[in-house]
Amino acid sequence: MTKVGFVIPTAFGRPEYLPLAYESIRGQSTSAEVEVLIGCPEEKLSAVKAALPNANVIAEDKGSGLAHKLHLLLLSTSPDCDYIAWLGDDDLLTNGSIQAAVEVLEANPKASMVYGGCDYIDAGGNVIFTNSSNQAAANLLTVGPQLIPQPGSIMRRSSYIEVGGLSNSFELAFDFDLFLKLRRVGPLLFTPKTLAQFRWHPSSL
């Protein structure tokens, strides 16, 4: 059976959102097996486990940089995961997004990643607008703006490892850097479905 590993990094500074993010993954209807791993500072372990008693929660690495911590979390998913991804602790997957993404990757074994559209929502979950994106976003990476929504995107685990994963070199542009690296080892494919919802609020990164 195909297996997908999702990680949710959290500082647990907005505890009302984390259970929603978690359930948006666990509640998916998909033929794939889905693993969810939550990483948080060691001092927040007990609080996160109390909020999500059935979740797999681990202490994040104490090294510096969000990208570094997220990279180690992704590598902490089960080695038998065919695909891996991360979701912000305040973001959501849409219904059917995992199945839609996996179908594209299964049908295109050379692809390194799949991405789709993304809603931008406010603190209360109301849709502000939708980034529908398209296949041209992947082609523009080396010459124009970064238009690929990260939320909802899923990577082939072997491709992620091949390119060396996330880097701290570009601060919060670490997803842009990763997409450029993944593009060198396999196509980034677009699926015409809104895969996730990115929450805009005062403490958004």
Side-chain angles (χ1 to χ4, degrees):
M1 178 184 289
T2 300
K3 187 171 183 178
V4 184
F6 263 89
V7 302
I8 305 176
T10 183
F12 208 49
R14 40 207 179 202
E16 69 276 20
Y17 293 140
L18 178 60
L20 301 178
Y22 178 76
E23 289 302 326
S24 78
I25 301 172
R26 296 303 306 168
Q28 292 279 315
S29 177
T30 174
S31 60
E33 180 183 353
V34 179
E35 169 186 299
V36 184
L37 180 64
I38 298 175
C40 66
E42 190 168 1
E43 63 271 19
K44 297 292 183 71
L45 269 176
S46 59
V48 174
K49 288 181 177 179
L52 293 169
N54 296 319
N56 184 8
V57 185
I58 64 171
E60 65 185 12
D61 186 82
K62 294 182 179 179
S64 61
L66 176 59
H68 169 76
K69 294 175 182 178
L70 183 52
H71 172 65
L72 294 182
L73 277 178
L74 288 165
L75 294 183
S76 295
T77 56
S78 299
D80 59 343
C81 286
D82 304 281
Y83 310 115
I84 54 175
W86 78 88
L87 186 70
D89 67 351
D90 51 350
D91 298 335
L92 303 167
L93 293 187
T94 59
N95 291 332
S97 69
I98 293 178
Q99 184 67 24
V102 166
E103 285 178 358
V104 173
L105 289 166
E106 295 283 270
N108 297 274
K110 292 185 178 180
S112 61
M113 191 183 86
V114 62
Y115 64 96
C118 182
D119 289 334
Y120 287 75
I121 60 176
D122 63 20
N126 303 299
V127 176
I128 305 169
F129 69 94
T130 299
N131 174 355
S132 55
S133 197
N134 53 49
Q135 186 59 51
N139 302 329
L140 281 172
L141 278 176
T142 58
V143 295
Q146 200 301 85
L147 301 176
I148 295 176
Q150 182 279 316
S153 64
I154 295 180
M155 305 170 285
R156 197 174 300 276
R157 184 188 181 94
S158 58
S159 298
Y160 180 81
I161 292 172
E162 182 178 351
V163 302
L166 291 164
S167 167
N168 275 331
S169 300
F170 300 98
E171 298 183 352
L172 291 180
F174 55 76
D175 54 349
F176 192 171
D177 173 57
L178 177 62
F179 297 161
L180 284 168
K181 292 188 292 188
L182 287 172
R183 189 168 175 259
R184 298 185 194 123
V185 299
L188 311 183
L189 297 182
F190 171 73
T191 184
K193 176 178 172 57
T194 298
L195 298 180
Q197 296 185 315
F198 175 85
R199 196 182 304 269
W200 256 352
H201 53 87
S203 59
S204 295
L205 293 180

